[in-house]
Amino acid sequence: MSTTFAVILKNGEQHDVARRVGRGILGCELSFTNEMTELMSDETPVTPTDNSAQGIYTIGDIREHIRKQEEAEQPEETESQSWIKDPSKIERNKRNSIFVPLQDAWHKEHDFIEVTEWSNGEGWDITISDEKQISLHHTEFAVIKELIALLEKD
C-alpha cells in the first residue's frame, strides 16, 4: 500500500511532497519527494492524494514519522554494553595463584601446574602445561577427593 502526500497552494495547485510505501504506521517507509519541504513549516497542512491520511496531516507529522523511522533503523546496543547495568558494581581482583614446574620422568621440560583461586573464593581454575584446564567448585573438589578415597580402599 502506498500514499502520496501533497500541499495545496492558494490557487488550488497541488504539489507532491512525500510518499509512503508499505503497510502500517511504522511498518512502512515515508520520505520527502520535494526539496521545497525543507522551507515549509511543521504546521503546513498536507493532503493524501491517493489513499487515506493514516495519521499524517502536516509537514511536521511527516518529519516526526521520518525521525521515528530513522531511530528504529539505528543498531541496538552491543551485547557487551548491555551486560553492564551498574558500573559501580564492577570489582577488580588480584587472584591468588600458585605455580610449580613438573620435573619427573612423565613430564616434558617446561610442564607445570598452576592453581588459581576464583575471585569469589568458591573454587579454583587449574592449568596443566597449557594443555588442560579444569575449573572446580569447592563442592566438586570435595566429591572428587571422596571418590578417589573410595577407589583407594578397594
Side-chain angles (χ1 to χ4, degrees), residues 19-43:
R19 181 110 172 113
R20 176 189 290 168
V21 179
R23 293 193 170 277
I25 301 297
L26 283 177
C28 59
E29 187 172 323
L30 180 60
S31 59
F32 285 113
T33 58
N34 187 321
E35 294 174 1
M36 294 300 291
T37 55
E38 291 181 30
L39 303 174
M40 297 178 190
S41 77
D42 284 349
E43 290 77 33

Side-chain angles (χ1 to χ4, degrees), residues 41-94:
S41 77
D42 284 349
E43 290 77 33
T44 304
V46 294
T47 303
T49 61
D50 54 6
N51 206 334
S52 64
Q54 302 172 37
I56 304 291
Y57 302 101
T58 64
I59 292 290
D61 293 337
I62 296 171
R63 286 187 178 125
E64 180 64 14
H65 184 95
I66 292 171
R67 183 190 65 76
K68 287 180 182 176
Q69 174 177 298
E70 288 170 352
E71 281 178 3
E73 292 171 358
Q74 294 297 318
E76 293 183 25
E77 289 184 25
T78 63
E79 211 173 288
S80 63
Q81 292 171 327
S82 66
W83 285 102
I84 301 173
K85 299 293 184 197
D86 185 357
S88 68
K89 294 189 178 189
I90 295 173
E91 297 179 20
R92 292 192 185 269
N93 296 302
K94 290 185 178 179

